[in-house]
Amino acid sequence: MDASKRKAGETLDSADMEKVPYHVTHGSMDPSKSLLDKPSPPPRHHVRGATFWTLLVATFLLLTMVLLRGYYQLGLGLLPLSPPVGFNQTVGRLPALGWNSWNAFHCNINEDKFITAAKRLIELGLKDVGYEYVNIDDCWQVREYRHPTTNQLIPDPGRFPNGIKGTADKVHALGLKIGIYSSAGDWTCAGYRASLGYEELDAKTWSDWDIDYLKYDNCYVPNNWADECRGCVPEYPRGDVVNGTCTNPTGMCPPGYNYTTSKTALRFRRMRDALLAQPRPILYSLCEWGEAGVQQWANETGVSWRMSGDINPSWPRILEILNQNSFYLNNVDFWGHSDADMLEVGNGLSIHQSRSHFALWAAMKSPLLIGCDLETVKGEEVAILKNEYLLAFNQDEYVGPPAKPYKWGTNPDWTFNASFPAEFWSGDSSRGVLVLLFNPYETSRVKQALWEEIPELKGGRYWDVVEVWTGREIGCIDGGFDIEVEGHDTAAFLVTGECVVGKRGEV
Ligand code: GAL
């Protein structure tokens, strides 16, 4: 499995572009200005005014692909196609949507918690808008040992009296999918038996239990699997990180180091191969916290990869992860998503903080795994998690790349600052251009959206605008607008198309 194979058949052709309800020419930031490793994604194809002959040739090519390579169609449109037959990773084209036990419950889990979460996903209408995975995190197994004769991991009989298979059956009966967790080391992070050296057995066991998703962690790596040097993960205020670059060379890999041959990459590839050998498609989500230069090899290994250490429900930590991930977005496209960690909406953030957290995670095309107790979550938090426009952007069937900053705001562009990350974001989608104006300050600030600054909108003067939190149609705007944004909040707009006569500055 490699990135080029994975993306085969993924590019829209002219015929398909005609089906996209809305599309504009996409400007992009200068990737050479990136502070961190950012290989560019493959270029997007923008076709306007396709001729009859272009359509004919495109249709012919498409039919040939279907016949020769065994592609098949998904949904109603001609595209997107699934990956080629024989390429087993058939899940994970879009960011995963679901719920995970860790942020809300840590090790305090049992079958009831998952069945309750599954039922609440349904009752709250979250399943209807796409949340589908119910993911078991750490602490599901017997802590100390594997099965004495089969060597399998053993589900804790107190927590899962029907085994994981029993829980999986119940979750599936509710029309949802189920995820499991392990680590590419001897023990999981909470100290339970893990999978290094048992990849094939464990992958087969999960497949036999009808598991749909694996989160694979990075704890308790034995010495013989240690890397020869470390990559830079520029987080936690540290004296030796200057504008996103680690400056203390002790133990660090030299510039230009090839991390694809690191032992960490090898550990995670072993599990990839074990999963791909199973008859059941299991979504492979890497959780190695951005270490060992994961940006170099994640895309060929799994469909999502954590880019940092753990999130927690504190505003400074959320800003820190946002800042860091904003520099990794050129690696994100269909089949590969930088995971900014599970959501903390519902775990004590203010409503404004929750809106910013969700809007920016959705815009970055991070997996969106709800991390709160769905029995106590507030209605206004559920409304954020269900926002139609943000979910549609995150789950776009036609446009793979995420939104990106077009201007930093408080800081000069490309400044790496955990307290004042980029504030002005935009991204193309099949429904329009998403524009986010984020206010990192505690008190309200007036922010300005100017079409001439937004890469996707530069070509036009009048654009139709919809407000994303309310769905209110603002109408045709000439040039841009000013808006007062509450402290820690994000104003969010969808620019849906060009229009004729606009009002100036009124939203
Ligand atoms: C961490 C991981 C968390 C959670 C935890 C369980 O390494 O980043 O998301 O899974 O382990 O112990």
Side-chain angles (χ1 to χ4, degrees):
M1 180 166 82
D2 63 29
S4 56
K5 255 193 197 160
R6 181 183 290 156
K7 294 193 164 97
E10 289 300 321
T11 312
L12 298 179
D13 66 10
S14 52
D16 302 296
M17 294 310 296
E18 297 296 297
K19 293 182 184 301
V20 177
Y22 170 81
H23 205 74
V24 294
T25 305
H26 180 80
S28 66
M29 306 182 72
D30 178 1
S32 66
K33 295 204 178 123
S34 168
L35 300 169
L36 305 169
D37 288 335
K38 297 200 316 161
S40 295
R44 298 250 319 278
H45 291 219
H46 300 275
V47 181
R48 277 178 162 172
T51 63
F52 170 78
W53 289 109
T54 319
L55 290 172
L56 195 67
V57 169
T59 309
F60 173 76
L61 285 175
L62 184 62
L63 286 174
T64 312
M65 282 161 68
V66 171
L67 291 172
L68 292 182
R69 302 185 62 181
Y71 279 47
Y72 60 89
Q73 292 174 241
L74 289 179
L76 294 175
L78 279 175
L79 284 180
L81 300 166
S82 76
V85 167
F87 170 70
N88 216 347
Q89 192 83 47
T90 51
V91 282
R93 181 175 183 270
L94 302 175
L97 296 184
W99 180 88
N100 173 295
S101 51
W102 184 255
N103 285 356
F105 299 119
H106 297 273
C107 281
N108 184 18
I109 53 168
N110 56 38
E111 180 178 274
D112 284 352
K113 290 247 166 47
F114 295 95
I115 303 307
T116 301
K119 289 184 174 159
R120 290 297 284 163
L121 285 176
I122 295 167
E123 286 162 15
L124 295 168
L126 290 158
K127 174 173 180 271
D128 285 344
V129 297
Y131 291 91
E132 60 176 344
Y133 289 100
V134 176
N135 288 353
I136 303 171
D137 208 280
D138 208 344
C139 314
W140 58 267
Q141 60 275 67
V142 168
R143 183 188 277 274
E144 301 288 348
Y145 50 89
R146 288 173 170 265
H147 192 282
T149 52
T150 67
N151 257 339
Q152 286 178 310
L153 293 167
I154 313 167
D156 182 325
R159 290 178 169 153
F160 296 91
N162 307 300
I164 298 297
K165 172 76 171 111
T167 309
D169 287 348
K170 292 181 187 169
V171 169
H172 287 142
L174 291 166
L176 293 159
K177 296 180 177 169
I178 187 160
I180 199 97
Y181 162 97
S182 190
S183 175
D186 291 337
W187 306 88
T188 70
C189 299
Y192 292 70
R193 292 313 315 235
S195 298
L196 187 64
Y198 294 92
E199 291 85 355
E200 282 170 22
L201 174 63
D202 290 354
K204 178 174 183 330
T205 303
W206 296 322
S207 177
D208 290 346
W209 291 346
D210 290 342
I211 290 295
D212 303 297
Y213 182 118
L214 172 67
K215 169 178 175 179
Y216 203 42
D217 215 333
N218 195 27
C219 275
Y220 293 104
V221 179
N223 285 339
N224 59 322
W225 278 98
D227 289 334
E228 59 177 8
C229 54
R230 281 183 297 115
C232 176
V233 186
E235 57 185 357
Y236 310 119
R238 283 180 356 196
D240 62 353
V241 172
V242 176
N243 202 23
T245 303
C246 300
T247 53
N248 177 359
T250 313
M252 301 292 294
C253 303
Y257 186 78
N258 178 9
Y259 292 96
T260 62
T261 54
S262 65
K263 288 187 179 171
T264 300
L266 182 56
R267 283 184 292 119
F268 281 84
R269 278 202 294 270
R270 281 169 66 127
M271 183 54 85
R272 173 198 68 186
D273 294 342
L275 291 174
L276 289 178
Q278 304 311 314
R280 188 174 179 84
I282 298 179
L283 188 153
Y284 188 30
S285 159
L286 315 187
C287 177
E288 60 81 89
W289 325 306
E291 296 193 348
V294 72
Q295 304 291 333
Q296 277 185 18
W297 47 271
N299 236 322
E300 66 183 45
T301 308
V303 296
S304 68
W305 54 89
R306 280 271 299 281
M307 40 54 68
S308 73
D310 288 9
I311 198 168
N312 60 57
S314 78
W315 184 237
R317 181 63 183 142
I318 284 164
L319 290 188
E320 193 169 37
I321 294 176
L322 168 64
N323 171 59
Q324 213 169 308
N325 201 35
S326 70
F327 291 94
Y328 298 138
L329 296 172
N330 277 358
N331 288 343
V332 177
D333 206 328
F334 293 126
W335 300 106
H337 298 103
S338 184
D339 180 352
D341 209 350
M342 301 168 296
L343 297 169
E344 294 287 9
V345 174
N347 290 336
L349 299 176
S350 74
I351 283 302
H352 292 143
Q353 292 168 348
S354 300
R355 296 211 308 185
S356 294
H357 175 29
F358 185 75
L360 286 154
W361 263 233
M364 295 189 292
K365 302 218 171 171
S366 174
L368 299 174
L369 295 174
I370 299 169
C372 67
D373 183 346
L374 292 177
E375 292 208 283
T376 55
V377 66
K378 296 184 188 118
E380 52 192 345
E381 292 161 339
V382 174
I384 293 171
L385 296 169
K386 285 167 71 173
N387 185 276
E388 176 197 334
Y389 298 93
L390 295 169
L391 284 176
F393 185 87
N394 182 266
Q395 297 290 302
D396 199 308
E397 284 282 352
Y398 295 93
V399 181
K404 295 175 186 171
Y406 66 86
K407 190 170 78 170
W408 262 245
T410 300
N411 283 306
D413 289 353
W414 299 101
T415 302
F416 188 97
N417 184 321
S419 306
F420 292 96
E423 296 162 30
F424 296 84
W425 293 68
S426 66
D428 202 358
S429 81
S430 53
R431 290 174 68 171
V433 173
L434 181 69
V435 178
L436 302 180
L437 310 174
F438 166 55
N439 175 11
Y441 293 90
E442 277 181 27
T443 51
S444 69
R445 289 283 187 286
V446 173
K447 314 226 45 121
Q448 200 171 38
L450 285 179
W451 303 156
E452 65 189 25
E453 288 183 349
I454 299 174
E456 298 85 352
L457 303 177
K458 274 181 176 160
R461 175 171 167 185
Y462 303 111
W463 290 99
D464 253 324
V465 178
V466 173
E467 206 277 332
V468 156
W469 296 116
T470 58
R472 184 168 61 92
E473 292 195 7
I474 289 166
C476 189
I477 299 287
D478 175 1
F481 57 85
D482 289 353
I483 183 161
E484 186 168 346
V485 185
E486 296 289 332
H488 297 174
D489 197 7
T490 293
F493 299 91
L494 190 69
V495 180
T496 53
E498 289 199 72
C499 45
V500 187
V501 180
K503 40 193 180 178
R504 195 153 192 108
E506 291 168 38
V507 295

